[in-house]
Amino acid sequence: MKLFQCNNCNNIVFFENNFCRKCGCKLGFLEKEMALISLDSKLTEWVLPNQNNSVYRYCENYKHGVCNWLVEANGSKLCKACSLNTIIPNLQTNQNKEKWKKLEVAKHRLIFQLLQLKLPIQSKIVDKESGLSFNFLSKQEATGENKNLMTGHANGVITILLSEADSVLLEKMKKDLDEKYRTLIGHFRHEVGHYYWERLIRDNNQVLEQYRTYFGDERVSYADALDKHYKQGPVQNWQNSFISEYASSHSWEDWAETWAHYLHLMDTLETAYYFGLTVDTRIDNENPIQMEALFDPYQNNNFDKIVDSCIPLYSAINSMNRSMGIADVYPFVISEPVIEKMKFIHQTLKKWAC
Ligand SMILES: [Zn+2]
Ligand SMILES: [Zn+2]
Ligand SMILES: [Zn+2]
């Protein structure tokens, strides 16, 4: 994630901030500039000279404390991120409100990243056929057909169960499924990967052929593959060619898992770039753990440089976490075939963005 600056007092401010702690002005995220804008705290509508003197206000969801994005006063009431919601939690309980906030923090970060990658983001309400939407559902409160829903993706609809925003239940699921990593942002990145597979890969024969050379044949029965995965476990030596055990279950899951990791790497390296991080161990060695975050990964075509920076970076951050008795930030080993798969994703996105 980028770092932002209050344009009233130059203080460094963060993506989720809705006011500047130093000068007290309000802050709103302006998608057109991909920046936080400082706003007079006494007003509720603002004329922005850089935007042809258009009048802006906060997205409707600001009042729920889940969004700090700006919208044009004479346009849609919801921002790009919030307009993708079709079902939001029942807000009668404070617990649900808290969970929704966690979901929106992760989702807004996802949408910001998709915007940086210049991916198409169209609400399903506008484009029924190929749009994207989010359902945030509580299994306890669900009725009818929603009762059986799980966290997942189907035809542009991403469902995230509210229980994923409950830290105790999340931890329990992680333990029950023997996963190394389970987070809301991870869910969003994985599920949206399925959506963009349909947008970028499925309908383009040439790209689909290339895809199969990296991720195998997606025409293998998905239901049978998952059934086999859950009954017999991951394929042998999955570490050699997949980023996770689950990725070895089926080509689509390999794509979604690898895609999620690609997004993890890009975001981590962008954060490192904005903080000016450098890693250089005090031990001389022929295989030094070294990196210097000198470039914005979204502006970089060379994926080798990205991965070569991320591996030492994760090594350092994992060690920092161990110093504090916290689980590794990135408990994965990226093998050579996984790098090749991520490179394919990077190149596909670069071509798409042209
Ligand atoms: Zn300020
Ligand atoms: Zn919003
Ligand atoms: Zn999946």
Side-chain angles (χ1 to χ4, degrees):
M1 175 55 72
K2 278 166 75 168
L3 284 174
F4 301 91
Q5 197 165 23
C6 170
N7 48 297
N8 185 45
C9 75
N10 291 334
N11 190 30
I12 292 172
V13 289
F14 300 92
F15 184 60
E16 283 88 10
N17 288 166
N18 54 20
F19 73 97
C20 171
R21 283 186 186 277
K22 194 172 163 202
C23 72
C25 67
K26 287 183 180 174
L27 295 167
F29 178 76
L30 185 63
E31 189 202 320
K32 275 189 190 163
E33 292 188 10
M34 293 292 274
L36 282 174
I37 306 287
S38 310
L39 308 157
D40 185 335
S41 58
K42 291 184 284 296
L43 304 176
T44 53
E45 286 195 344
W46 302 274
V47 178
L48 301 186
N50 285 352
Q51 301 299 323
N52 298 327
N53 288 321
S54 296
V55 184
Y56 281 81
R57 63 159 86 112
Y58 275 122
C59 162
E60 185 82 349
N61 280 343
Y62 174 81
K63 67 174 186 228
H64 298 296
V66 299
C67 182
N68 63 346
W69 289 27
L70 296 171
V71 292
E72 280 191 58
N74 60 3
S76 161
K77 285 191 170 162
L78 292 171
C79 72
K80 173 150 279 159
C82 293
S83 67
L84 301 170
N85 295 344
T86 27
I87 301 178
I88 62 160
N90 168 1
L91 300 179
Q92 305 293 346
T93 72
N94 282 336
Q95 280 166 332
N96 276 8
K97 281 186 201 164
E98 274 172 39
K99 288 176 194 161
W100 187 33
K101 183 161 187 181
K102 286 190 198 169
L103 287 161
E104 289 297 344
V105 166
K107 197 195 74 191
H108 279 70
R109 282 180 172 249
L110 173 80
I111 303 303
F112 176 84
Q113 193 173 26
L114 300 177
L115 287 167
Q116 280 177 307
L117 291 165
K118 310 212 184 314
L119 281 161
I121 307 166
Q122 184 67 273
S123 162
K124 216 164 182 50
I125 300 161
V126 179
D127 183 350
K128 276 201 170 53
E129 191 70 11
S130 52
L132 175 65
S133 73
F134 293 92
N135 287 345
F136 299 139
L137 281 174
S138 157
K139 238 183 155 114
Q140 286 78 34
E141 295 166 18
T143 51
E145 60 183 26
N146 284 344
K147 265 230 153 336
N148 302 319
L149 280 177
M150 309 260 290
T151 291
H153 165 266
N155 191 29
V157 181
I158 290 175
T159 300
I160 309 274
L161 292 182
L162 223 47
S163 53
E164 298 290 348
D166 180 315
S167 53
V168 175
L169 293 176
L170 183 93
E171 206 51 43
K172 188 179 179 313
M173 286 289 278
K174 188 177 155 205
K175 195 163 187 326
D176 289 350
L177 296 168
D178 201 18
E179 292 175 341
K180 288 190 228 153
Y181 174 91
R182 191 178 184 94
T183 64
L184 283 178
I185 191 92
H187 280 314
F188 277 104
R189 287 177 175 158
H190 174 104
E191 300 307 340
V192 93
H194 287 302
Y195 170 70
Y196 284 110
W197 184 83
E198 294 180 356
R199 298 277 75 74
L200 309 179
I201 312 288
R202 184 187 62 190
D203 302 330
N204 183 330
N205 276 336
Q206 208 186 338
V207 181
L208 186 59
E209 281 306 315
Q210 277 180 309
Y211 161 87
R212 286 180 186 144
T213 64
Y214 295 101
F215 295 92
D217 194 335
E218 83 289 354
R219 292 165 293 191
V220 171
S221 162
Y222 181 73
D224 291 352
L226 283 214
D227 193 48
K228 191 173 162 210
H229 174 78
Y230 287 119
K231 282 189 182 141
Q232 299 175 15
V235 300
Q236 252 197 339
N237 301 323
W238 60 268
Q239 295 91 336
N240 296 345
S241 4
F242 300 96
I243 192 63
S244 66
E245 296 185 20
Y246 188 52
S248 74
S249 62
H250 186 272
S251 166
W252 282 335
E253 295 309 336
D254 189 14
W255 163 268
E257 284 286 90
T258 312
W259 167 281
H261 278 260
Y262 170 76
L263 297 187
H264 294 334
L265 263 60
M266 294 295 277
D267 193 5
T268 306
L269 196 52
E270 183 186 49
T271 307
Y273 170 66
Y274 273 87
F275 274 90
L277 294 188
T278 298
V279 174
D280 193 0
T281 54
R282 305 252 173 242
I283 294 172
D284 278 333
N285 180 285
E286 63 271 24
N287 300 310
I289 301 175
Q290 259 175 353
M291 66 83 65
E292 204 174 351
L294 289 174
F295 61 93
D296 175 352
Y298 295 97
Q299 305 302 328
N300 195 289
N301 289 326
N302 183 349
F303 189 71
D304 287 325
K305 269 181 81 177
I306 292 172
V307 81
D308 287 349
S309 301
C310 277
I311 291 172
L313 181 62
Y314 280 132
S315 174
I317 311 174
N318 283 349
S319 298
M320 295 293 281
N321 271 24
R322 289 174 200 180
S323 298
M324 289 300 294
I326 305 173
D328 285 0
V329 161
Y330 193 79
F332 301 94
V333 176
I334 309 176
S335 64
E336 203 52 50
V338 171
I339 294 174
E340 291 305 311
K341 292 179 205 184
M342 288 191 193
K343 208 182 277 182
F344 169 72
I345 294 173
H346 191 63
Q347 282 155 3
T348 304
L349 289 176
K350 287 281 160 203
K351 275 185 220 148
W352 177 271
C354 286

